[in-house]
Structures are given as C-alpha cells and as structure tokens.
Amino acid sequence: RARVFDTWMRILSARPETLLWLIAPHDPAVSTRLKQHAQSRGIHASRIIFAPRMERSKHLERYQAVDLYLDTHVYTAHTTAADALWGAAPILVTPAPTFQGRVSASLLRSLHAPWLVASSFKARVCLAVCVSCVCCRVVTARVVVIIAGVRGHWCSNGAETAAVCVEIAAPHQPQTVRV
C-alpha cells in the first residue's frame, strides 16, 4: 500500500495541476492520515479529494469527470475497473503476478489499449505523467472505451479500433507535443 501511495504522490508532484480523487473511507481518521502523509511529501492536502459514497447510478456518472483512473496494485480493480471503462475513464494499471492482480490489465488488453498497462511502478509514474501531458493519449484512450461501449461489446479487432480512434481523435491532437 505504501508503494501505491508513493506512486500517487510522485505523480501529483510531477503534475501540480492534478488532483487525487478517492472514495471516502468509512473511518474519517483514514482521510486525515492520508492528507497528513501527502503534506509530509510536499503535496497540499486540498489536492486529495474524498468523494462521498452514493447510489450506484450517481457514482457511475462521476466517471465522466475522471481523466485517468489509477488502479491499485497487488489486488487490482475488477468491477470497479469495468465501471470506470464503461464510464469512459481510461485506467492505468501495473499488474501483479496473481489472478487478482491481472484483471484490470486483461480488461485493457481486451480493449486493445495495452499502452495503459505499466510494467513497473517507475513506468507507471512516467506513463501517468505522460498521459496527463499529452491530451491525445487520453482522447485516444477514451475513444477506445467509448467505441467498445457504443458497440455493446469489447472491440474485436485492434486495427479497426485504431483506425476509428485516429479518425475521431485527429482534430484533438496537438501539432507539437513536448514532454
């Protein structure tokens, strides 16, 4: 858990305009401790948002505001990852060797979005920072997810998905990208 939190803090440190949005824990003391740990690493407590628990349909609507879902490690998201993807929120995962640790990566690979599967924690930080800098990556990831949702099934052909992504994302791609 400390390694995942460290990864989140490194991403927030590298991208000062970003926020970390978590579901509010049942125990308010946990929120306080997480904000204190963030502040001890130079991250202002206001950059960690704890969203209240709410009815499922309302919760799913919140994914529209998510630019990138950072999955946990060791035991990755299952239903939550699927919910995020159906809500058009791309996810970034570092899979673990166990079944429980590979679910999110399997979902991404089935969407032909393997670039959102990081091979290490270092790669995860680099990829998250890059994705947050390069808008076309997020647009492309969202397009892959939206196409799958509109068609009512996971995309069956990576080349077809890529062609449609290029067509839809082209107007959103910057002329010059500096990372």
Side-chain angles (χ1 to χ4, degrees), residues 58-171:
K58 295 288 185 195
H59 170 68
L60 293 176
E61 288 176 13
R62 295 194 284 198
Y63 284 112
Q64 297 298 314
V66 174
D67 291 320
L68 183 64
Y69 175 100
L70 299 172
D71 203 356
T72 56
H73 184 69
V74 180
Y75 192 93
T76 62
H78 294 96
T79 304
T80 305
D83 288 346
L85 291 167
W86 283 112
I91 62 175
L92 176 59
V93 63
T94 306
T98 62
F99 162 77
Q100 298 89 342
R102 296 189 310 261
V103 174
S104 295
S106 294
L107 289 171
L108 288 170
R109 287 186 182 108
S110 72
L111 284 170
H112 306 289
W115 66 85
L116 292 170
V117 179
S119 59
S120 67
F121 282 98
K122 183 177 180 180
R124 178 188 180 106
V125 172
C126 292
L127 186 56
V129 170
C130 180
V131 168
S132 69
C133 292
V134 184
C135 68
C136 63
R137 279 290 220 196
V138 174
V139 168
T140 303
R142 282 188 181 273
V143 168
V144 169
V145 173
I146 290 166
I147 290 168
V150 167
R151 292 185 180 163
H153 64 282
W154 301 122
C155 299
S156 60
N157 180 316
E160 173 191 347
T161 301
V164 175
C165 286
V166 168
E167 180 182 329
I168 294 173

